[in-house]
Amino acid sequence: RPVMVSPRGMLDPWALAHSGWKKRIVGAWFENRNLEDADCLHALNASEAQSMRSYGLKNPIAIIPNATDLPDIDKREQREGSKTLLFLGRLHPKKGLPQLVKAWAAACRRNAELARDWRLQIAGWDDGGHADTIEKLVSELGLSSSVSLTGPTHGSEKDAVLRSADAFILPSFSEGLPMSVLEAWAYRLPVLMTAECNLPVGFEMGAALEVTTDPDELAESLAIALMRDDLTAIGEAGRSLVEDRFSWPQVATQHLEVYEWLLSGRDPPACVQSLEPASPKQ
C-alpha cells in the first residue's frame, strides 16, 4: 500500500539538533529507512520541503499547509485600558519564552505606556518542566503583576482566551507551520512572530509583524508594535488569509488529490514536487 509520511517539522535544523545524538541513533536504527521508503513526504511549507532535501531525501514531496476552523467572531476594535498579549501553546525551549519574558521586562522599562496598558499571558501545557524555568524568571525580574502563566486551555476555555486577547506572539526558534498562529488569525488577532514560524505569507499580506528571539531586539519590537494604531487591520488581514488559504475545504481538497494520485499512479497534483519524474509504488 502507498505510504505518505508527515514529519511535522522534525527534520528542521533546530529540531534535529535538539537531543541530536538520540535522533541520530533512532535514524540509523529504523527512522531513516521509514523516510526513504515513503512513496510521498508531506511538508507544511517550502522551507520544510527544503529541510527534507537537505536531509538527503529524494522522495516526492507534497507541500500542503495546516488548516484551522473559522470561529464566528466580529471585527475587533482597539480597546482603551488593559490589553492582553497572548502566547498560547506548549511550554518548550524552542518557543522562545525565556527570551520573551526578558524582552517584556526591558520593553516595559522603555515604554511606560506599554507597561501601563498591556499584560502578557502565557497559556499552555508544560513540556518537561519548562514552566518552572519561566515562572522563576518572571519572579526574578519582578514581573508578577504584568505576566501570568495560566496553564493549559482547551475547548470553551481556549475559545474564551482567544476572544479576550488583543494580540498574539510566537517568538519561536523552530516551527513546521504553527497551528497557534493560524488560530490567532482565525480570531482576528494581530500576530507577532519570528521568520522561523515558516509563515512568510503572513508578513507579505500584512497579517503579522516580524520579531526575533534576541531579547534586546524583541524588546524594541514589542515597545513599538504594541503601540501601533493599525493592530485591528493587521488582525483582519490574518482572518482573510486563513479564509483564503488555511481553511479546511482548501487543505482537505489538496490532501484528497495526493491520496488519489498515490492510489492511481496518474500524474501528480500541483502541490507535489519531485527531483525527477516519478510515480508512487503500487
Side-chain angles (χ1 to χ4, degrees), residues 99-278:
Q99 291 78 10
L100 173 58
V101 171
K102 292 175 184 176
W104 183 262
C108 289
R109 289 195 298 269
R110 294 179 189 180
N111 190 317
E113 189 178 354
L114 182 147
R116 183 192 69 213
D117 292 345
W118 283 86
R119 301 291 178 267
L120 173 62
Q121 179 181 0
I122 299 174
W125 57 277
D126 183 13
D127 188 349
H130 195 51
D132 290 340
T133 300
I134 302 165
E135 288 176 339
K136 181 179 179 182
L137 188 58
V138 168
S139 177
E140 288 175 351
L141 295 174
L143 297 174
S144 299
S145 61
S146 67
V147 179
S148 60
L149 276 72
T150 53
T153 59
H154 305 284
S156 60
E157 190 176 67
K158 179 179 176 181
D159 175 74
V161 166
L162 286 162
R163 287 179 185 274
S164 64
D166 299 277
F168 185 88
I169 187 165
L170 181 56
S172 185
F173 287 95
S174 173
E175 296 288 337
L177 192 154
M179 284 298 304
S180 60
V181 170
L182 300 187
E183 290 171 344
W185 279 337
Y187 278 81
R188 305 182 188 274
L189 288 173
V191 168
L192 288 70
M193 65 180 180
T194 56
E196 288 75 15
C197 289
N198 285 319
L199 278 167
V201 67
F203 305 131
E204 295 164 10
M205 303 303 293
L209 303 172
E210 186 172 354
V211 299
T212 75
T213 55
D214 177 83
D216 288 336
E217 294 178 2
L218 180 52
E220 184 175 356
S221 296
L222 290 171
I224 295 172
L226 296 180
M227 295 297 105
R228 291 175 60 137
D229 58 9
D230 62 346
L231 290 178
T232 299
I234 295 171
E236 288 299 313
R239 172 71 179 217
S240 296
L241 188 54
V242 171
E243 291 172 350
D244 293 341
R245 304 195 189 189
F246 300 106
S247 64
W248 282 111
Q250 288 88 345
V251 172
T253 296
Q254 290 179 287
H255 275 287
L256 286 171
E257 289 173 349
V258 172
Y259 300 152
E260 289 169 356
W261 161 64
L262 287 170
L263 290 169
S264 70
R266 293 192 291 267
D267 290 341
C271 65
V272 173
Q273 62 165 237
S274 302
L275 287 177
E276 57 188 36

Side-chain angles (χ1 to χ4, degrees), residues 10-29:
M10 293 310 295
L11 295 178
D12 289 350
W14 191 95
L16 289 173
H18 190 67
S19 300
W21 68 270
K22 295 179 182 178
K23 292 173 182 175
R24 287 191 291 273
I25 291 172
V26 172
W29 183 18

